[in-house]
Every structure is written in C-alpha cells, then in structure tokens.
C-alpha cells in the first residue's frame, strides 16, 4: 500500500525522502527541512500507524518495506533515523538500483548488542522492558520515557525534548500495534551480512553521546566502499535536533558530492 507523504520544496529539485524513528513521525525533521527546502524537494514519510498514516494498519518490517517500495521516489536520496535508518538500510539492500545515495542517522545494521560477536548496541533487555511496559492505555507515557533515553547525554537534553514534543504536539498518537512492531524490528533485524548489496554512496551520522546507537559501530563502515561517517560531539540520539546547522552543513556537503 502506497503511503501518504508530505512534500516540501520545489518539484523540479532533487528529492530527499526521509523516514522517522520509533514512536514519533516525520515532523521530527522540520528543523532541518526548513533550511534544505530551498535546495531540495523533501518527501516526508510517516510509517503505517504514525502521523498522516495513523489510520493505516500497523505492519512488521517486511510489510513496511513493501509500502516504502510503492512510496519512495526512484532516484532520490534516502535518509533514515534510528528505526527509520534500519528501514532505509533494508530498503537499500533489497532495492539497490532505486536510490542514488543513502544517509542513516543514529543507526547501525544491528540495533541491539550481540555479545557473541562483541557487537555494541542497545541492550535487548532494555527494549524488552519497553515492550512489557507498553499497553494500549500508556503509549504516550512510554514514548516520553523513550524520548528521555534518546536525549540523555546531549548537551541540550531538556531543550531537545522540548523541541521534539513541540513538533509532535498536533500529531495523532501512534498505534499501539505499530509501536510493538517497531520494537520487534529494533530487536530482531540484523543486516550486517547484507550490506554489500548496497550500491550507492552512503553517509552514516552518529552522536558521540548516544546511549542507544553507540558511536563505536561507525567502525563497521570502514571497509565498505563509498561509505562515510560523521560524529557530532555534542549530540546524543538526535543530532539533527541538537546541532541542526552543523548537521545540515555536513549533509549538504555529502549530497553535493555524491547525489548526482
């Protein structure tokens, strides 16, 4: 099923499609879109159960990918944050000729840690805790707890949370079933062994103080051709909120060089 999108910018400009993270919606990108819209056409995508697509039944990862295949414009740059980054990676693996460049933010091919391979990441027990606490009656409070965890460590923690809540204040509450499905995707997806299928240049952005997606996973990209990494030292899980101007500057430099 094709998803509804919000399109901002000139229809004749190069297109960047953006996918949000768990518990939120694409309005989270407004701070960077405000500056980018003069140079690019931005396609903001809400996952099923979120934002303008909140009436679409929730779906697991593969179902969302099918919807994205009907929604993402061919030949665009694709940006995904956190859970959206996992979806962007998987989309790029399964559709290697569909996009021209890939940007992931606060994301890695495997979100949870793996002691057997010494892979750093979020402790799976933490996500299981959120899964167990989430009910149909407390979606908002569970998301608020997750927001606090995301912002922890940021030099602007309270301001970051305030900005995010302001952006989401007029948005319908996400589906309980989509929240559960999203947590399942964060826990289960492991794309480390499929990355070579990605053909386009990629940029992987990290916050140095991120507690959920550790900056140490950046080393994974060192041996991948046309892969680049950037670390924002004052940021936690949402560098495009904490360091908006610097984020846009680095994003535009990458796009100028690799988005033809």
């Amino acid at each position: 099923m094709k998803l509804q999108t919000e399109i901002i910018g000139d229809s004749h400009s190069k297109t960047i499609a953006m996918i949000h993270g768990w518990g939120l919606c694409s309005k989270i990108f407004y701070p960077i879109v405000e500056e980018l819209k003069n140079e690019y056409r931005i396609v903001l995508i809400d996952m099923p159960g979120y934002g303008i697509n909140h009436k679409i039944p929730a779906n697991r990862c593969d179902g969302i990918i099918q919807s994205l295949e009907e929604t993402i414009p061919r030949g665009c740059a694709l940006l995904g944050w956190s859970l959206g980054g996992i979806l962007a990676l998987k989309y790029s693996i399964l559709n290697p000729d569909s996009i021209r460049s890939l940007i992931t933010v606060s994301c890695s091919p495997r979100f949870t840690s793996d002691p057997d391979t010494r892979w750093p990441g979020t402790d799976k027990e933490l996500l299981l805790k959120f899964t167990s606490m989430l009910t149909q009656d407390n979606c908002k409070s569970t998301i608020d707890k997750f927001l606090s965890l995301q912002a922890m460590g940021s030099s602007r923690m309270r301001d970051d949370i305030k900005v995010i809540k302001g952006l989401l204040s007029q948005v319908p509450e996400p589906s309980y079933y989509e929240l559960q499905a999203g947590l399942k995707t964060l826990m289960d997806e492991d794309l480390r062994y499929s990355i070579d299928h990605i053909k386009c240049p990629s940029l992987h952005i990290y916050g140095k103080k991120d507690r959920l997606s550790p900056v140490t996973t950046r080393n994974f990209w060192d041996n991948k051709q046309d892969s680049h990494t950037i670390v924002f030292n004052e940021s936690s899980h949402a560098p495009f909120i904490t360091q908006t101007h610097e984020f846009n500057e680095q994003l535009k430099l990458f796009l100028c060089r690799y988005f033809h």
Side-chain angles (χ1 to χ4, degrees):
M1 176 186 293
K2 187 174 182 178
L3 302 171
Q4 292 188 65
T5 60
E6 181 180 0
I7 300 176
I8 302 171
D10 191 327
S11 61
H12 298 293
S13 298
K14 293 179 181 179
T15 298
I16 309 173
M18 299 184 178
I19 311 172
H20 61 90
W22 185 86
L24 308 176
C25 75
S26 62
K27 291 187 185 300
I28 193 71
F29 295 121
Y30 275 10
I32 57 172
V33 167
E34 186 61 31
E35 185 176 337
L36 293 172
K37 68 182 182 182
N38 295 323
E39 299 179 46
Y40 297 96
R41 173 177 177 260
I42 313 295
V43 177
L44 298 177
I45 303 172
D46 287 334
M47 288 184 274
Y50 290 92
I52 58 176
N53 292 312
H54 71 280
K55 292 184 179 180
I56 297 178
N59 216 328
R60 294 287 296 277
C61 184
D62 290 344
I64 297 175
I65 293 296
Q66 290 177 11
S67 294
L68 293 176
E69 289 171 343
E70 298 182 39
T71 305
I72 293 173
R74 289 189 64 85
C76 72
L78 179 60
L79 182 151
W81 171 55
S82 195
L83 172 59
I86 293 175
L87 294 171
L89 283 170
K90 190 161 187 174
Y91 177 90
S92 304
I93 290 166
L94 296 175
N95 301 274
D97 299 315
S98 293
I99 62 172
R100 295 183 184 178
S101 55
L102 169 69
I103 304 100
T104 68
V105 184
S106 304
C107 173
S108 67
R110 178 184 169 112
F111 195 78
T112 53
S113 58
D114 180 13
D116 292 339
T117 59
R118 297 183 179 180
W119 178 260
T122 299
D123 189 339
K124 194 170 185 176
E125 291 299 318
L126 177 62
L127 296 181
L128 287 170
K129 180 180 178 181
F130 274 94
T131 300
S132 63
M133 79 167 62
L134 182 65
T135 69
Q136 295 193 45
D137 299 323
N138 72 348
C139 290
K140 186 178 184 303
S141 62
T142 304
I143 292 170
D144 285 347
K145 289 183 175 66
F146 201 73
L147 281 180
S148 295
L149 189 61
Q150 287 181 353
M152 191 175 297
S154 165
S155 62
R156 298 177 60 249
M157 178 176 173
R158 292 182 180 179
D159 290 337
D160 287 356
I161 294 173
K162 184 178 180 180
V163 169
I164 293 172
K165 287 186 175 181
L167 291 168
L168 304 178
S169 61
Q170 304 300 317
V171 178
E173 190 174 283
S175 156
Y176 160 79
Y177 299 101
E178 181 55 42
L179 292 174
Q180 287 283 12
L183 288 171
K184 188 71 172 170
T185 297
L186 290 173
M187 286 188 285
D188 292 350
E189 287 295 321
D190 188 349
L191 305 173
R192 290 177 293 173
Y193 309 105
S194 305
I195 291 300
D196 286 342
H197 292 288
I198 297 175
K199 294 182 178 180
C200 64
S202 61
L203 174 65
H204 308 282
I205 299 174
Y206 295 86
K208 186 175 182 179
K209 301 179 180 180
D210 194 344
R211 306 284 183 90
L212 294 173
S213 188
V215 68
T216 47
T217 62
R218 69 178 295 191
N219 299 330
F220 175 84
W221 302 105
D222 289 347
N223 297 320
K224 176 74 171 64
Q225 187 175 5
D226 284 335
S227 290
H228 310 269
T229 59
I230 291 176
V231 178
F232 287 93
N233 291 331
E234 299 303 315
S235 295
S236 180
H237 199 62
F240 55 92
I241 298 290
T242 308
Q243 296 179 258
T244 303
H245 179 69
E246 296 92 332
F247 183 97
N248 270 346
E249 287 299 306
Q250 293 298 325
L251 178 59
K252 286 190 288 186
L253 283 173
F254 171 78
L255 293 172
C256 183
R257 184 174 181 183
Y258 293 104
F259 185 22
H260 305 295

